[in-house]
Each structure stands twice: as structure tokens, then as C-alpha cells.
């Protein structure tokens, strides 16, 4: 959920110390394979509203892609520019489109269809139920778990059906990693970039790099965050790492180190990017233009930088880590 800029009409929630405070998601219903939750997994019934710039929405696109659910769950992509009224729809920019389900001009109108009295924040991703005409869920961590487990009957092939990014045997490890990576890294870049005092920034950015150092240490010993297999923990971290050197280093003042300066994390990031289908979900134009044009208080000129040039396609060498683990 990329956060609107105060000069564009929204106030960034902060504490008395100038610390950025992320507001919790409001819609938290669940889709189940058998429909016991009131929302049954069905092909063509559900729809995603996403931003290609937003790391939280990006998680859902990766799981949807890897699980082969693109024909099962439709998707609309908002404009990369967020103005004073929040996310909007356009077909005038590359890889954006109009609202194909509710014909709304802005995402806030979609929220109001779900709840006419809604006054909370307008965020992506949004998982919409076309049948009940409401928002099922707008919390990315829960949406990716639904896509991972509840739609297996509709995966494009058997291999995708077998993929499990939250296996029972690893759930404790996955939850343990997510528990500190979210506040320190995923949200840490925002806590740094949206800090309104030097004190708040100093605390946030130090914790951010403590988190990244911890990730680097883990990846020096195991191929993935929870061991030998790719899990949702890796997908959740990937969407932050892929944006880090591109926008967070400069735009959010997270410039103590770059991801390319961490040998294990840099190889790991390239490996995840090179997983078939993942690169299809990454749009660098949307990422750079959203952050650099939407956050007027950070970049008042709204000039989009030319670089950096980063090649995510070079050999990553992480196969050696699996061989090392097998030899233990």
C-alpha cells in the first residue's frame, strides 16, 4: 500500500515524534475452497485491483502468476501517479487500464460500493467479489495465502497446483522470518522515507539496515529465507528488494548500502527475478514514476531520475548454496 503524499491532499499518519504509522487494512474476509467462509473459490468470480508500483500489490501478482491463476482471477492496474484523490484508472499510460468491473474512475469509488460509509485509507491490493459486489480483502499477506491454497482446483497445470508457498512443515519458520522482516525491512523503507523528524528517520533507517544485515547473514547459510525451498517469505521480501536500489536508496534516503553491496542478497534477488514468470510482474517504469512523481514533499520537482542501471539477468550462482546445504 503505497502511501499518498500530504501535499497531494492526504496526511501521512505520523506520531508526535514524526514517525510514520501504517494504518491496518480494513477488509479481512477470507475465500475458502469449500465456501465455508461465505466466499467460495470459483473461477471468474474474483478480481484484483493493483498498482504495479506498489510492493504490497506486487506480492499478489507474483503468487497469481506462479500459481497459474491469471485466467481465474482477473485484474485491473491503476495509474502509477497518485494525486490528491488517491489511485485512479486510466488507459492513456502504458500497462494501465480502466476499471473493467465497476466502471469507476477512482479506486475510492470501488471502496464506497463495498461500504458507502467507508472513510478509511484507499489502498491496493484489493480483492473484489464480482458476485457479492464487495471487497473481500485488502491485506496483501492474507490475499497471497488465499491464492496459494484455496484456488488449487483452478491452477493452469498440475505443477502449479502442487506449488505451496506456505507448507505446514515450514509455517513456524516462515512466520518467524516475516515477523521481523515486515517491520524492519518491508515497512522499514517507508518508515525511513516518510519520517518527519531526524530522530524518527535515524531510528527507522538503523533498524532497516539491521534487518538487511540479518537477511544477508541468513542467505549466507541457506538458499532461501526458510531453508531449501522458496516460500511466501521470499516473495514478500522480493518486492521490497527489487525496488530498493532503484528508488528507496535515493528517494527514501536508504543509502547506507545498496542491495548490490550485499553479495548473498544480490545473488538471491537475481535468482528470484529469474524464476520463470516473476520478471513479467515487475514494471520498473511504474515503480520509478510512481514514487518520484506522487510524493511531492519528498521530490517537489517530480523529476524522475535516469538511473541506476541494474542488470537482474546475470548469473546468480545460488545453486551452489543448495549443494552446500546437501553436503551438511
Amino acid at each position: 500500500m503505497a502511501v499518498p503524499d500530504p501535499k497531494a491532499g492526504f496526511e501521512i499518519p505520523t506520531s508526535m515524534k514524526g514517525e510514520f504509522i501504517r494504518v491496518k487494512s480494513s477488509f479481512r474476509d477470507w475465500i475458502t475452497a469449500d465456501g465455508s467462509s461465505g466466499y467460495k473459490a470459483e473461477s471468474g468470480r474474483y478480481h484484483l485491483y493493483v498498482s504495479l508500483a506498489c510492493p504490497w500489490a506486487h506480492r499478489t501478482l507474483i503468487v497469481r502468476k506462479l500459481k497459474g491463476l491469471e485466467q481465474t482471477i482477473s485484474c485491473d492496474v491503476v495509474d502509477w501517479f497518485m494525486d490528491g484523490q488517491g489511485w485512479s484508472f486510466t488507459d492513456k499510460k502504458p500497462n494501465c487500464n480502466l476499471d473493467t468491473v465497476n466502471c469507476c474512475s477512482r479506486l475510492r469509488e470501488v471502496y464506497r460500493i463495498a461500504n458507502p460509509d467507508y472513510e478509511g485509507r484507499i489502498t491496493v491490493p484489493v480483492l473484489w467479489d464480482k458476485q457479492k459486489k464487495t471487497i473481500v480483502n485488502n491485506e496483501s499477506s492474507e490475499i497471497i495465502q488465499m491464492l496459494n491454497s484455496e484456488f488449487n482446483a483452478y491452477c493452469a497445470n498440475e505443477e502449479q497446483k502442487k506449488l505451496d508457498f506456505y507448507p505446514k512443515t515450514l509455517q513456524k519458520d516462515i512466520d518467524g522470518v516475516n515477523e521481523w522482516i515486515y517491520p524492519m525491512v518491508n515497512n522499514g523503507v517507508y518508515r525511513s522515507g516518510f519520517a518527519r523528524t531526524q530522530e524518527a528517520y535515524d531510528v527507522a533507517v538503523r533498524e532497516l539496515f539491521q534487518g538487511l544485515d540479518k537477511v544477508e547473514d541468513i542467505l549466507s547459510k541457506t538458499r532461501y529465507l526458510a531453508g531449501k525451498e522458496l516460500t511466501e517469505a521470499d516473495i514478500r521480501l522480493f518486492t521490497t528488494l527489487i525496488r530498493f536500489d532503484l528508488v528507496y536508496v535515493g528517494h527514501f534516503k536508504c543509502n547506507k548500502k545498496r542491495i548490490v553491496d550485499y553479495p548473498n542478497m544480490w545473488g538471491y534477488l537475481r535468482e528470484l527475478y529469474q524464476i520463470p514468470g516473476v520478471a513479467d510482474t515487475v514494471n520498473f517504469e511504474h515503480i520509478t514514476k510512481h514514487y518520484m512523481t506522487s510524493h511531492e514533499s519528498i521530490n517537489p520537482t517530480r523529476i524522475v531520475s535516469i538511473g541506476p542501471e541494474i542488470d537482474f539477468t546475470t548469473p546468480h550462482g545460488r545453486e551452489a548454496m543448495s549443494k552446500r546445504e546437501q553436503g551438511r
Side-chain angles (χ1 to χ4, degrees), residues 154-326:
Y154 305 102
C155 294
N157 59 54
E158 287 301 314
E159 288 303 311
Q160 291 168 321
K161 184 182 297 186
K162 293 176 184 176
L163 285 175
D164 186 359
F165 300 118
Y166 194 60
K168 289 184 178 180
T169 55
L170 292 176
Q171 286 179 7
K172 184 177 179 180
D173 295 330
I174 294 168
D175 292 343
V177 170
N178 286 339
E179 187 175 339
W180 59 266
I181 285 183
Y182 167 74
M184 296 181 79
V185 181
N186 297 137
N187 200 39
V189 292
Y190 285 92
R191 290 172 56 223
S192 302
F194 287 133
R196 288 294 174 260
T197 65
Q198 186 70 49
E199 179 186 6
Y201 166 78
D202 289 345
V203 170
V205 80
R206 288 190 188 111
E207 290 181 1
L208 165 63
F209 282 96
Q210 287 170 5
L212 289 175
D213 290 344
K214 192 172 180 179
V215 168
E216 176 69 4
D217 182 60
I218 291 172
L219 296 177
S220 73
K221 301 168 185 174
T222 63
R223 187 166 182 175
Y224 303 108
L225 290 173
K228 299 178 182 179
E229 22 181 316
L230 180 78
T231 69
E232 71 157 51
D234 301 294
I235 294 170
R236 287 170 54 141
L237 178 60
F238 171 81
T239 60
T240 297
L241 298 187
I242 197 70
R243 289 160 172 76
F244 199 91
D245 290 3
L246 195 68
V247 291
Y248 299 150
V249 167
H251 187 67
F252 276 174
K253 303 180 182 69
C254 301
N255 61 352
K256 181 181 179 181
K257 292 174 75 173
R258 303 164 300 166
I259 301 305
V260 297
D261 298 323
Y262 289 96
N264 293 289
M265 207 179 331
W266 173 224
Y268 165 85
L269 176 56
R270 300 201 309 280
E271 178 183 8
L272 298 190
Y273 181 82
Q274 292 170 32
I275 292 172
V278 171
D280 296 339
T281 69
V282 180
N283 190 298
F284 295 115
E285 180 182 22
H286 277 236
I287 292 168
T288 55
K289 289 184 175 179
H290 164 69
Y291 285 95
M292 295 183 189
T293 64
S294 299
H295 304 151
E296 187 180 5
S297 67
I298 296 176
N299 184 24
T301 63
R302 290 179 167 152
I303 294 171
V304 179
S305 63
I306 193 173
E309 293 184 353
I310 308 171
D311 188 354
F312 295 98
T313 65
T314 57
H316 52 76
R318 294 293 290 177
E319 304 92 343
M321 185 60 66
S322 288
K323 294 178 181 178
R324 190 189 310 174
E325 289 177 307
Q326 290 171 1

Side-chain angles (χ1 to χ4, degrees), residues 21-277:
I21 301 172
R22 185 170 295 281
V23 178
K24 292 184 178 180
S25 302
S26 303
F27 295 87
R28 308 295 286 271
D29 287 320
W30 204 271
I31 298 168
T32 52
D34 62 6
S36 58
S37 63
Y39 295 91
K40 181 177 173 57
E42 300 177 64
S43 181
R45 175 172 172 176
Y46 299 99
H47 184 77
L48 274 172
Y49 289 105
V50 301
S51 161
L52 300 183
C54 172
W56 318 102
H58 191 182
R59 300 170 171 183
T60 66
L61 291 177
I62 292 174
V63 177
R64 173 176 173 261
K65 180 76 173 183
L66 296 182
K67 290 290 289 186
L69 296 173
E70 291 174 295
Q71 299 304 312
T72 296
I73 301 170
S74 53
C75 182
D76 285 332
V77 177
V78 298
D79 190 342
W80 63 62
F81 177 66
M82 178 188 283
D83 63 15
Q85 297 301 311
W87 299 109
S88 61
F89 299 96
T90 182
D91 59 357
K92 306 301 183 186
K93 296 179 180 178
N95 300 298
C96 301
N97 62 271
L98 299 176
D99 179 0
T100 60
V101 174
N102 293 296
C103 300
C104 294
S105 61
R106 292 189 174 273
L107 191 59
R108 64 172 47 254
E109 297 169 25
V110 174
Y111 273 75
R112 291 287 174 81
I113 294 173
N115 178 3
D117 299 320
Y118 184 76
E119 297 293 340
R121 300 187 71 78
I122 309 301
T123 63
V124 288
V126 168
L127 184 58
W128 178 265
D129 182 352
K130 300 176 188 177
Q131 186 180 108
K132 293 189 176 183
K133 301 188 186 315
T134 193
I135 296 172
V136 179
N137 197 294
N138 67 339
E139 169 51 53
S140 66
S141 64
E142 295 175 354
I143 294 173
I144 64 174
Q145 290 194 353
M146 289 181 233
L147 301 185
N148 175 64
S149 62
E150 305 305 321
F151 288 86
N152 282 335
Y154 305 102
C155 294
N157 59 54
E158 287 301 314
E159 288 303 311
Q160 291 168 321
K161 184 182 297 186
K162 293 176 184 176
L163 285 175
D164 186 359
F165 300 118
Y166 194 60
K168 289 184 178 180
T169 55
L170 292 176
Q171 286 179 7
K172 184 177 179 180
D173 295 330
I174 294 168
D175 292 343
V177 170
N178 286 339
E179 187 175 339
W180 59 266
I181 285 183
Y182 167 74
M184 296 181 79
V185 181
N186 297 137
N187 200 39
V189 292
Y190 285 92
R191 290 172 56 223
S192 302
F194 287 133
R196 288 294 174 260
T197 65
Q198 186 70 49
E199 179 186 6
Y201 166 78
D202 289 345
V203 170
V205 80
R206 288 190 188 111
E207 290 181 1
L208 165 63
F209 282 96
Q210 287 170 5
L212 289 175
D213 290 344
K214 192 172 180 179
V215 168
E216 176 69 4
D217 182 60
I218 291 172
L219 296 177
S220 73
K221 301 168 185 174
T222 63
R223 187 166 182 175
Y224 303 108
L225 290 173
K228 299 178 182 179
E229 22 181 316
L230 180 78
T231 69
E232 71 157 51
D234 301 294
I235 294 170
R236 287 170 54 141
L237 178 60
F238 171 81
T239 60
T240 297
L241 298 187
I242 197 70
R243 289 160 172 76
F244 199 91
D245 290 3
L246 195 68
V247 291
Y248 299 150
V249 167
H251 187 67
F252 276 174
K253 303 180 182 69
C254 301
N255 61 352
K256 181 181 179 181
K257 292 174 75 173
R258 303 164 300 166
I259 301 305
V260 297
D261 298 323
Y262 289 96
N264 293 289
M265 207 179 331
W266 173 224
Y268 165 85
L269 176 56
R270 300 201 309 280
E271 178 183 8
L272 298 190
Y273 181 82
Q274 292 170 32
I275 292 172

